[in-house]
């Protein structure tokens, strides 16, 4: 109750550009005297960025958010429960402001990290952060869609389903697919090699080391955090055993194995 009241008072004090600038000056002075006051400074910086954006000062707003992100990222290492909510907020706003300027390539990393941080918060306290997860996913998907369209327009040939390119070798053996939805890493193990989603590199490597053949995989099927790996049907039992051994809770549907990747820190 007290926290909500303080947030309302803070929002009222920063309701216009001048008020937000004053609040930043106050908290910047306080933060110089005590690092414990940096939380208030990040709150003030977030509010100032919103007021700057409203005034058409987009570049200034991005600079302000960059400072807020840097403070929150540094302090969240030791105090995640206090600083991660403001880190997620600053990243979400950063992605939105960059998209407003048509900078989709720069916006996507911020939007993706906002999703990751909000999911981490929701894993600990679902109710306060469920809506923020949904909004951040929507923001991320807009950036992803726009950037994919740009990549498709620039591609000389091939099939584009996302902004992240396969390596040159994998482009030759994937039926014309040249770019996908998630960042790729090229892995090799036990005589097998391929580009895979960055978040599934360890999982697919473990499956190959267990002599399980995979046919496709995705680290986040519909933007809901649910991953899957398709394996050769003869290897399903061994693959499920392997994934369970990695600490994953696996749901089997025919030759597909579904699971949620652990929610980890940055």
């Amino acid at each position: 109750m007290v926290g909500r009241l303080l947030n309302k008072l803070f929002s009222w004090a920063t309701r216009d550009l001048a008020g937000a600038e004053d609040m930043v000056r106050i908290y910047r002075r306080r933060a110089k005297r005590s690092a414990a006051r940096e939380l208030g400074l990040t709150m003030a910086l977030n509010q100032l960025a919103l007021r700057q954006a409203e005034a058409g000062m987009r570049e200034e707003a991005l600079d302000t958010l960059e400072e807020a992100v840097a403070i929150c990222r540094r302090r969240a290492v030791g105090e995640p429960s206090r600083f991660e909510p403001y880190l997620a907020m600053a990243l979400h706003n950063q992605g939105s402001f960059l998209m407003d300027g048509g900078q989709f390539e720069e916006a996507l990393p911020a939007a993706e990290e906002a999703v990751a941080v909000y999911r981490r918060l929701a894993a600990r306290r679902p109710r306060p952060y469920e809506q923020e997860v949904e909004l951040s996913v929507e923001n991320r998907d807009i950036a992803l869609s726009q950037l994919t369209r740009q990549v498709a327009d620039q591609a000389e040939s091939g099939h584009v389903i996302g902004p992240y390119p396969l390596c040159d070798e994998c482009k030759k053996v994937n039926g014309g697919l040249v770019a996908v939805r998630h960042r790729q890493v090229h892995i090799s193990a036990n005589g097998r090699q391929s580009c895979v989603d960055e978040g599934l590199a360890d999982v697919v490597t473990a499956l190959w080391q267990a002599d399980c053949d995979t046919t496709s995989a995705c680290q986040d099927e519909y933007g809901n955090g649910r991953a899957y790996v398709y394996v050769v049907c003869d290897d399903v039992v061994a693959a499920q055993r392997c994934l369970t051994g990695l600490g994953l809770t696996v749901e089997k549907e025919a030759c597909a194995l579904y699971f949620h990747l652990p929610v980890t820190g940055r």
Side-chain angles (χ1 to χ4, degrees):
M1 183 69 177
V2 173
R4 287 197 295 271
L5 179 59
L6 287 174
N7 283 335
K8 287 182 179 179
L9 289 172
F10 197 93
S11 296
W12 181 85
T14 57
R15 66 192 182 279
D16 56 30
L17 182 60
E21 289 173 338
D22 287 343
M23 194 65 73
V24 168
R25 280 193 289 269
I26 292 169
Y27 275 97
R28 200 182 296 283
R29 286 197 300 268
R30 293 180 177 179
K32 286 181 179 179
R33 295 195 298 268
S34 170
R37 299 300 181 95
E38 283 188 314
L39 182 62
L41 177 57
T42 62
M43 294 170 63
L45 288 167
N46 266 305
Q47 290 297 114
L48 175 59
L50 293 174
R51 302 291 86 81
Q52 288 171 327
E54 290 170 355
M57 303 164 61
R58 196 179 67 86
E59 292 302 320
E60 291 85 348
L62 287 170
D63 289 341
T64 300
L65 286 172
E66 190 64 36
E67 182 181 359
V69 167
I71 294 171
C72 290
R73 202 189 300 288
R74 171 172 52 81
R75 293 301 304 274
V77 173
E79 299 179 84
S81 62
R82 295 187 71 207
F83 282 88
E84 279 196 335
Y86 296 99
L87 173 61
M89 182 189 304
L91 288 166
H92 180 84
N93 290 336
Q94 190 176 51
S96 295
F97 294 168
L98 286 166
M99 283 192 287
D100 288 343
Q103 296 173 262
F104 299 107
E105 186 171 0
E106 294 83 357
L108 186 54
E112 288 181 326
E113 189 178 357
V115 171
V117 178
Y118 273 129
R119 280 181 173 162
R120 197 155 61 236
L121 291 165
R124 296 195 292 260
R125 296 177 59 204
R127 177 174 286 185
Y129 295 107
E130 285 176 346
Q131 185 175 7
E132 279 76 6
V133 170
E134 292 177 4
L135 292 173
S136 64
V137 167
E138 181 180 336
N139 210 43
R140 188 272 315 273
D141 286 350
I142 292 171
L144 189 63
S145 175
Q146 293 295 329
L147 186 55
T148 299
R149 186 174 293 116
Q150 289 181 0
V151 172
D153 290 343
Q154 295 166 6
E156 296 180 1
S157 62
H159 185 45
V160 174
I161 61 173
Y164 298 113
L166 303 178
C167 72
D168 290 341
E169 286 301 311
C170 288
K171 287 178 183 178
K172 298 175 184 177
V173 297
N174 275 276
L177 184 65
V178 297
V180 294
R181 184 179 174 86
H182 302 292
R183 285 186 179 83
Q184 298 292 289
V185 293
H186 191 87
I187 61 172
S188 59
N190 204 13
R192 303 165 175 87
Q193 62 174 329
S194 179
C195 282
V196 300
D197 289 357
E198 185 178 49
L200 287 178
D202 291 342
V203 170
V204 175
T205 297
L207 288 169
W208 290 352
Q209 289 173 338
D211 207 26
C212 298
D213 285 317
T214 61
T215 57
S216 66
C218 179
Q219 71 182 41
D220 191 0
E221 184 184 17
Y222 296 118
N224 59 3
R226 192 185 191 211
Y228 69 77
V229 176
Y230 276 81
V231 298
V232 173
C233 290
D234 288 345
D235 294 339
V236 168
V237 174
Q240 186 170 8
R241 187 184 308 118
C242 175
L243 296 184
T244 301
L246 296 176
L248 301 172
T249 300
V250 181
E251 297 177 20
K252 181 172 72 70
E253 296 180 15
C255 298
L257 301 174
Y258 293 89
F259 50 90
H260 283 81
L261 292 168
V263 180
T264 62
R266 178 177 168 79

